Amino acid sequence: VQLQAFGGGLVQAGGSMRLSCAASGRTSGYTMAWFRQAPGKEREFVAAIGWSASTHYADSVKGRFTISRDNNKNTVNLQMSSLKPEDTAVYYCAAQLGKRDYTTPEYGYWGQGTQVTVSS
């Protein structure tokens, strides 16, 4: 499975942005997730969605971000709203077959990352 993320850029605080991640292969049974890494910080979990569409969010984004997937198109999306400067980071999509511990970074497949910058 190869992943490619799209949709990053610059947005003002309070604004919205949508990230997409396209998988080259079938993602049947895969857990899909988004992580982010800010300068000088460790990569952190943002959101994940299981094959059954169960969703999980970091407390810092709960209520502001929504993860979704289209299994027919092998894509996963992250709709981000009420963005804050602290959301500024490189966002990575990730995939792992059958992963249940959604928040840990042991995913076998990673996209290249897309920069999201939120200005104050």
Side-chain angles (χ1 to χ4, degrees):
V1 176
Q2 291 185 325
L3 305 173
Q4 187 168 9
F6 302 91
L10 175 65
V11 64
Q12 288 188 330
S16 298
M17 182 177 289
R18 181 181 177 91
L19 304 182
S20 295
C21 179
S24 63
R26 292 188 64 185
T27 54
S28 175
Y30 278 73
T31 295
M32 307 293 292
W34 288 94
F35 283 73
R36 67 186 181 187
Q37 188 166 19
K41 295 187 176 181
E42 294 186 353
R43 191 171 298 189
E44 66 174 3
F45 170 76
V46 175
I49 185 165
W51 175 246
S52 62
S54 60
T55 57
H56 308 266
Y57 297 95
D59 288 342
S60 59
V61 307
K62 201 170 292 184
R64 301 188 298 121
F65 291 11
T66 301
I67 189 170
S68 62
R69 67 189 294 167
D70 185 331
N71 293 330
N72 291 324
K73 297 181 179 179
N74 295 320
T75 58
V76 60
N77 301 306
L78 186 68
Q79 180 66 45
M80 305 183 291
S81 60
S82 301
L83 283 161
K84 305 175 182 179
E86 50 264 44
D87 294 319
T88 296
V90 176
Y91 283 70
Y92 298 88
C93 58
Q96 179 62 47
L97 180 64
K99 186 171 175 57
R100 296 188 177 184
D101 189 1
Y102 303 104
T103 66
T104 61
E106 287 76 26
Y107 283 77
Y109 304 95
W110 291 86
Q112 84 284 9
T114 184
Q115 176 71 46
V116 172
T117 302
V118 184
S119 63
S120 57

